[in-house]
Amino acid sequence: MNKDQKNEVIELLKDKFNQYNNFYVTNTESLSVAQRGKLRRICFDKNVEMKVAKNTLIRKALEGLDDKRFSGMYESLNGVTALLFSENAKEPALIISDFRKTPGNLEKPTLKAAFIDGDVFAGDESLKTLTVLKSKHDLIGEIIGLLQSPAKNVISALNAGNKLAGLIKALEDRAAAN
């Protein structure tokens, strides 16, 4: 690979890192060609982009964007590296987790690190945490639901109070009529 080709790959990677707030660094070294192909198809079907690149080129792309922001990712750049880019922070973790459940794929591919909205999750032991991670939209929806709940209870109580007052008034009117 000549210098121009390397610069082209670095620019492509920079574009991907700018486009996505979430990316995973995985080790696919122990996967066969058929297994890698299957993983690529699964990623494609789930709108996750999978890119394989040299660690030095990945590092140069990250350093070229923001050296300090991505500093926690540099330790994971060793061995064979495949990058998984996704809008949904949880989707690559689910793909890896589900892929491991297929016979013969136990503990393959390995999660080296994940960069989720500025936070670094290092090591394969983070995979379980990432599979239950809630998206920003899910959290906002839950917060809105929690904020609406007390208001709904107050309105419900007020409506019940009006009904109760009407019932008491009707009983008083009936008692007065008798």
Side-chain angles (χ1 to χ4, degrees):
M1 187 180 276
N2 65 33
K3 189 172 184 173
D4 289 336
Q5 290 171 323
K6 288 179 183 179
N7 288 335
E8 190 177 313
V9 170
I10 290 170
E11 289 305 314
L12 175 84
L13 289 171
K14 280 183 180 180
D15 290 342
K16 292 295 172 198
F17 292 130
N18 277 329
Q19 181 182 351
Y20 295 98
N21 288 328
N22 313 304
F23 64 91
Y24 285 57
V25 179
T26 63
N27 183 343
T28 57
E29 186 173 15
S30 57
L31 295 178
S32 69
V33 174
Q35 288 171 320
R36 276 192 207 128
K38 183 178 178 184
L39 181 61
R40 281 185 185 278
R41 278 190 301 282
I42 293 169
C43 287
F44 180 79
D45 292 343
K46 304 262 183 168
N47 295 322
V48 175
E49 286 190 54
M50 182 176 169
K51 300 281 182 209
V52 177
K54 292 184 180 244
N55 293 314
T56 54
L57 300 180
I58 296 169
R59 185 179 183 112
K60 285 181 181 181
L62 291 173
E63 287 173 344
L65 289 173
D66 190 343
D67 190 34
K68 292 200 185 334
R69 182 176 183 216
F70 298 110
S71 63
M73 297 300 292
Y74 301 142
E75 285 182 30
S76 65
L77 298 176
N78 53 51
V80 177
T81 299
L83 299 168
L84 302 176
F85 297 97
S86 175
E87 290 294 331
N88 181 343
K90 182 173 160 177
E91 195 64 44
L94 293 173
I95 290 171
I96 293 169
S97 184
D98 290 344
F99 190 79
R100 288 179 174 184
K101 291 177 184 172
T102 9
N105 293 343
L106 297 176
E107 307 207 12
K108 301 178 207 174
T110 308
L111 176 67
K112 295 181 189 181
F115 186 85
I116 312 294
D117 290 324
D119 293 321
V120 176
F121 295 83
D124 201 49
E125 59 279 354
S126 302
L127 186 63
K128 186 167 180 133
T129 303
L130 293 168
T131 59
V132 295
L133 193 66
K134 292 188 179 186
S135 74
K136 189 181 205 178
H137 298 293
D138 293 340
L139 291 174
I140 289 171
E142 283 184 14
I143 290 171
I144 290 171
L146 290 171
L147 291 174
Q148 287 179 341
S149 181
K152 286 180 182 176
N153 290 341
V154 169
I155 291 169
S156 169
L158 289 174
N159 286 338
N162 288 341
K163 289 178 186 174
L164 184 61
L167 182 61
I168 292 172
K169 176 94 169 115
L171 289 174
E172 285 177 351
D173 291 344
R174 187 182 292 167
N178 289 337

